[in-house]
């Protein structure tokens, strides 16, 4: 009886592990989505305006060794320039 209980417990644990591994591979896509706001890749800088209402917003772009500037961006990802030149960007608090 004791051996049977251990076998059942072991098989149940293995089933949970395989279910977890299978679920992990099926949900890998959302992690690859672009983050909201400012972000950089290896060589480029972007601002991703995450919205469901279609709004356009003003962002302030911080530039290395040059004046900062404001820019109007729409929904989705906007390329700002080289990651070596763009230091950051943030919502300026108004729409455009």
């Amino acid at each position: 009886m004791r051996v049977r209980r251990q076998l059942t417990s072991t098989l149940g644990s293995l089933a949970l592990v395989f279910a977890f591994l299978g679920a992990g591979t099926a949900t890998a896509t959302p992690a690859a989505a672009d983050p909201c706001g400012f972000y950089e890749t290896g060589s480029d800088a972007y601002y991703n305006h995450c919205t469901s209402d279609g709004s356009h917003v003003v962002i302030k772009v911080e530039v290395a060794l040059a004046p900062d500037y404001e820019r109007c961006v729409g929904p989705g990802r906007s390329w700002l320039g080289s990651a070596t030149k763009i230091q950051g960007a943030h919502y300026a608090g108004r729409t455009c």
Side-chain angles (χ1 to χ4, degrees), residues 29 41 66 73 79:
T29 305
T41 63
V73 297
W79 183 74

Side-chain angles (χ1 to χ4, degrees), residues 5-20:
R5 213 177 299 158
Q6 286 178 330
L7 180 59
T8 303
S9 176
T10 301
L11 290 175
S13 296
L14 286 173
L16 286 173
V17 168
F18 286 120
F20 176 75

Side-chain angles (χ1 to χ4, degrees), residues 9 12 21 24-25 29 31-32 34 37 40 42-43 45 48 56 58 63-64 69-70 72 74 81 83 85 93 96:
S9 176
L21 290 174
T25 57
T29 305
D34 297 331
E40 296 177 340
S43 59
N48 189 21
H56 288 63
V58 176
V63 185
Y69 64 90
E70 291 186 344
C72 180
K85 294 181 181 177
C96 51

Side-chain angles (χ1 to χ4, degrees), residues 60-69 80 82 84-89:
K60 183 172 182 176
V61 181
E62 300 164 0
V63 185
L65 303 174
D68 296 346
Y69 64 90
L80 302 178
S82 169
T84 59
K85 294 181 181 177
I86 305 299
Q87 295 180 320

